[in-house]
Amino acid sequence: MMNWIWLFFILSSVIISLFNGKIDEVSNAILSSAQSAVTISLGLVGIMSLWLGLMQIAQKAGLIKLISRFLSPFLKLLFPGIPKNDPVQADIALNVSANALGLGNAATPFGIKAMEGLKRLNPNKQDVASDDMCTFLTINTAGVQLIPVSVIAILTSVGSGNPGEILIPTIITTFSALCIGIIFVKCLIKISPNPGRKK
Amino acid sequence: MIGTYSLAIIPLLVAFFVTYGAFHKVPVYETFTEGAKEGFEISIRIIPYLIAMMVAVAMFRASGAIDLLALAFEPILEFIGMPADLLPLAITRSLSGSGARGIFAEIATNYGGNAPITKTAAVMLGSSETTFYVLSVYFGAVGVKKFRHAVAAGIVADLAGILVALLVSKLFFY
């Protein structure tokens, strides 16, 4: 699917811009976005290393195991491929809570730790996503966030009388989208489960 | 208030991890540096995935394809009662985080902070994550190239989010 989406983005942009004369803008976009992808990745190094270091402490101290044991029954429902009390459960829990609290910086390293754990449990070939990875990313792309800090900041800056007004509608929306996403991904998994290592 | 809350939470969290470790007799300094080593490698591993995604998205945005899509979707917009000015935001927010924030800032400036359409846009933006960015970073970090159901589920959740945002905003702001 990614192959098709990628091809679609690139081909349609070139064709459209040939017709509307925006081809030079597309040309600039190619160069500058390739550059900024590197800037963004390298910009992650500091914060990523920081949280991974703290995670290592949490793991050595048994905090990760403790969280896992606590959340195991609940996460078992969403991620049937994870064995009981596996430490990856804590990584997932930390990722989801960091996202919910709006700590995007911390959420990414936690999430990548979780992905590494899920990779260890992946019953498919190593470059094919597992069912649990799909569920996990559905939760992440839904972006459950209790307080959208940057949105509130923009609202305040344009003189909104009561920016807090958007909080409850936002929470209702994000949870509805999350539930629909999870139901949908679970249906897809039912129709076409992990392909395994064959072929 | 929200500002102070988010300012305090990170130092508190850092302090908690370190204290908890020290309490359980973990050599916190050594362990930290050992874990932190991984950060660089992961960030480097993401680069090719992020380039692939960001270049395609940037081309798409620069080409004016989104305006064209907006034109094509107009009849559907009327049907679901969505203001046309919200469509570029609805399309962009799954593709580019900074792009979506830019469009939102534009709507907010044009209509003012108290307009229902600004608040609807705020709900739309705040309730979602940049799906394609998340997919490329997370899968990129572990070298997964076949995303399977994650793409479709992400898109469906985004579409659902747009519709729910419209509906909820109608109830709350209009």
Side-chain angles (χ1 to χ4, degrees):
Chain A
M1 189 160 193
M2 271 328 280
N3 287 320
W4 289 110
I5 291 180
W6 205 56
L7 190 70
F8 167 76
F9 275 142
I10 291 178
L11 261 186
S12 62
S13 329
V14 172
I15 293 169
I16 290 169
S17 61
L18 278 175
F19 279 100
N20 65 9
K22 288 194 171 175
I23 192 81
D24 55 326
E25 284 171 47
V26 172
S27 171
N28 288 335
I30 292 175
L31 302 176
S32 65
S33 61
Q35 180 61 48
S36 68
V38 177
T39 317
I40 289 178
S41 305
L42 292 180
L44 283 174
V45 173
I47 202 76
M48 186 93 79
S49 304
L50 171 77
W51 286 108
L52 289 175
L54 292 171
M55 284 287 276
Q56 186 85 354
I57 296 177
Q59 204 169 350
K60 282 262 170 74
L63 181 61
I64 302 286
K65 253 204 194 105
L66 191 76
I67 301 174
S68 291
R69 204 173 314 143
F70 196 67
L71 290 166
S72 223
F74 173 68
L75 287 172
K76 191 83 199 156
L77 293 173
L78 277 176
F79 303 98
I82 302 177
K84 212 171 159 231
N85 297 338
D86 193 280
V88 70
Q89 292 179 325
D91 298 331
I92 292 175
L94 285 169
N95 165 263
V96 173
S97 6
N99 265 327
L101 294 172
L103 307 172
N105 280 334
T108 309
F110 292 154
I112 287 172
K113 269 266 157 210
M115 286 300 279
E116 285 175 341
L118 291 173
K119 184 183 183 168
R120 172 167 52 78
L121 302 167
N122 190 352
N124 306 325
K125 281 197 280 186
Q126 284 303 294
D127 65 342
V128 179
S130 68
D131 290 350
D132 287 340
M133 284 180 179
C134 294
T135 310
F136 178 61
L137 280 201
T138 305
I139 295 172
N140 262 284
T141 56
V144 177
Q145 196 181 349
L146 299 178
I147 300 177
V149 182
S150 65
V151 175
I152 302 248
I154 298 175
L155 273 182
T156 313
S157 76
V158 295
S160 170
N162 180 14
E165 207 183 355
I166 68 151
L167 288 182
I168 291 179
T170 303
I171 289 171
I172 296 174
T173 306
T174 193
F175 274 101
S176 315
L178 174 71
C179 291
I180 292 167
I182 289 178
I183 292 169
F184 188 74
V185 80
K186 286 290 172 191
C187 289
L188 290 180
I189 288 171
K190 194 126 228 175
I191 295 165
S192 133
N194 280 323
R197 278 179 213 267
K198 283 186 219 102
K199 271 194 286 181
Chain B
M1 192 202 85
I2 289 158
T4 17
Y5 144 87
S6 47
L7 282 182
I9 195 153
I10 289 190
L12 285 176
L13 213 53
V14 173
F16 172 71
F17 273 75
V18 178
T19 319
Y20 190 92
F23 190 75
H24 286 81
K25 307 217 159 40
V26 174
V28 284
Y29 179 76
E30 279 111 310
T31 313
F32 175 85
T33 47
E34 189 190 305
K37 258 187 278 182
E38 254 183 284
F40 188 71
E41 204 198 306
I42 290 178
S43 307
I44 299 296
R45 229 184 297 155
I46 299 170
I47 292 180
Y49 294 82
L50 213 52
I51 291 180
M53 185 60 65
M54 287 183 61
V55 168
V57 167
M59 287 174 73
F60 196 67
R61 295 190 57 219
S63 71
I66 289 174
D67 304 329
L68 219 62
L69 273 181
L71 216 64
F73 279 132
E74 222 160 76
I76 305 174
L77 292 194
E78 247 164 70
F79 183 71
I80 57 174
M82 176 169 166
D85 282 352
L86 288 179
L87 193 69
L89 177 67
I91 299 171
T92 309
R93 64 176 203 145
S94 310
L95 304 175
S96 155
S98 57
R101 269 194 300 277
I103 295 174
F104 170 62
E106 214 176 283
I107 294 174
T109 318
N110 287 345
Y111 288 91
N114 296 312
I117 188 173
T118 304
K119 289 177 199 157
T120 310
V123 172
M124 230 176 233
L125 185 62
S127 65
S128 165
E129 193 36 273
T130 317
T131 299
F132 283 88
Y133 173 80
V134 172
L135 289 176
S136 44
V137 168
Y138 282 31
F139 277 137
V142 292
V144 166
K145 297 190 184 78
K146 303 221 157 54
F147 298 0
R148 289 182 62 226
H149 309 314
V151 184
I155 294 173
V156 164
D158 285 348
L159 288 176
I162 294 170
L163 293 178
V164 177
L166 287 173
L167 201 74
V168 175
S169 302
K170 278 252 145 70
L171 292 174
F172 275 81
F173 307 136
Y174 284 86

